[in-house]
């Protein structure tokens, strides 16, 4: 015991006698560049999704070179992809002297993308401002969760038989995800396209 105390005293004295050394500052590291901090968020297995219709509103401004000549061409381009006027032209705001016209169309998301490409032939800078009504659902996320749940239920049927409440929850979630997937794949997203056509000045 005496020898142990002497050893501690010796170490303490040696440490106090040694000059203090300031540690070198660590190299600065940009946290934004540290990829190890970027992790995939955990899956919310009990999340439910809305079955209500989802739609979008696109607001677009199209600048044309010659308003009297180009307005009919713009309208024809919209009609060619299946767009239908939401408000008759005569009831929309427009001015021949101001050389501008507001138009409102209803069409599917697929048709809206085709219409956008056609509008860019008149005005390459066309870029819609989008807002949405309803819940935007990630269908790939729904499909991934559905696949995992179905596979695990099939692999652990024996265990689930001993946990009826858990099994019922799994069955309900599978049924819900299946319905969401079916509805989203069967119903096209509808777009309300509000557009202003005006002559370049």
């Amino acid at each position: 015991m005496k020898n142990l105390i002497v050893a501690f005293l010796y170490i303490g004295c040696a440490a106090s006698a040694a000059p203090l050394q300031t540690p070198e500052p660590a190299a600065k590291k940009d946290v934004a560049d540290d990829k190890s901090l970027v992790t995939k968020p955990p899956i919310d297995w009990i999340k439910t999704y809305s079955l209500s219709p989802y739609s979008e509103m696109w607001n677009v401004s199209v600048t044309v070179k010659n308003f009297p000549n180009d307005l009919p061409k713009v309208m024809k381009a919209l009609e060619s992809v299946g767009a239908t006027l939401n408000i008759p032209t005569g009831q929309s705001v427009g001015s021949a002297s101001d050389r501008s016209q507001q138009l409102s169309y209803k069409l599917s998301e697929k048709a809206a993308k085709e219409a956008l490409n056609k509008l860019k032939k008149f005005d390459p800078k066309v870029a819609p401002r989008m807002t949405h009504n309803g819940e935007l659902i990630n269908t790939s996320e729904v499909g991934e969760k559905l696949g995992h749940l179905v596979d695990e239920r099939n692999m652990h049927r024996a265990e689930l038989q001993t946990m009826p409440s858990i099994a019922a929850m799994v069955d309900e979630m599978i049924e819900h995800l299946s319905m969401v997937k079916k509805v989203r794949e069967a119903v096209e997203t509808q777009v309300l396209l509000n557009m202003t056509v005006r002559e370049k000045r």
Side-chain angles (χ1 to χ4, degrees), residues 68-131:
N69 292 338
D70 291 334
L71 178 61
K73 295 178 183 178
V74 169
M75 297 181 67
K76 186 175 181 180
L78 269 293
E79 293 169 3
S80 69
V81 298
T84 58
L85 277 170
N86 185 44
I87 302 174
T89 309
Q91 298 177 18
S92 300
V93 177
S95 172
S97 58
D98 190 45
R99 292 179 176 259
S100 67
Q101 177 67 51
Q102 292 184 7
L103 300 168
S104 181
Y105 288 93
K106 287 183 177 179
L107 64 171
S108 69
E109 182 183 28
K110 179 180 178 181
K113 292 178 180 179
E114 294 178 7
L116 193 62
N117 291 329
K118 290 180 178 291
L119 293 175
K120 286 184 177 180
K121 294 179 180 179
F122 298 94
D123 182 358
K125 295 182 180 180
V126 167
R129 298 186 305 277
M130 301 180 186
T131 57

Side-chain angles (χ1 to χ4, degrees), residues 43-47 49 137-155 157 169-185:
I43 296 176
D44 184 359
W45 292 104
I46 60 174
K47 176 182 177 180
Y49 302 86
I137 294 176
N138 186 336
T139 52
S140 58
E141 175 186 280
V142 171
E144 181 181 359
K145 290 168 67 173
L146 179 60
H148 282 304
L149 287 175
V150 170
D151 289 344
E152 291 184 12
R153 182 185 63 177
N154 292 339
M155 288 188 296
R157 286 189 182 277
M169 290 177 62
V170 173
D171 288 342
E172 287 179 13
M173 184 54 66
I174 288 176
E175 182 179 354
H176 170 68
L177 294 174
S178 298
M179 181 61 69
V180 171
K181 187 172 183 292
K182 181 179 179 181
V183 169
R184 291 306 180 196
E185 289 177 349

Side-chain angles (χ1 to χ4, degrees), residues 7 24 48 52 55 58-59 70 94 112 136 167 173 191:
E24 295 183 3
T48 56
S52 300
S55 62
W58 293 15
N59 292 303
D70 291 334
L136 178 59
M173 184 54 66
V191 173

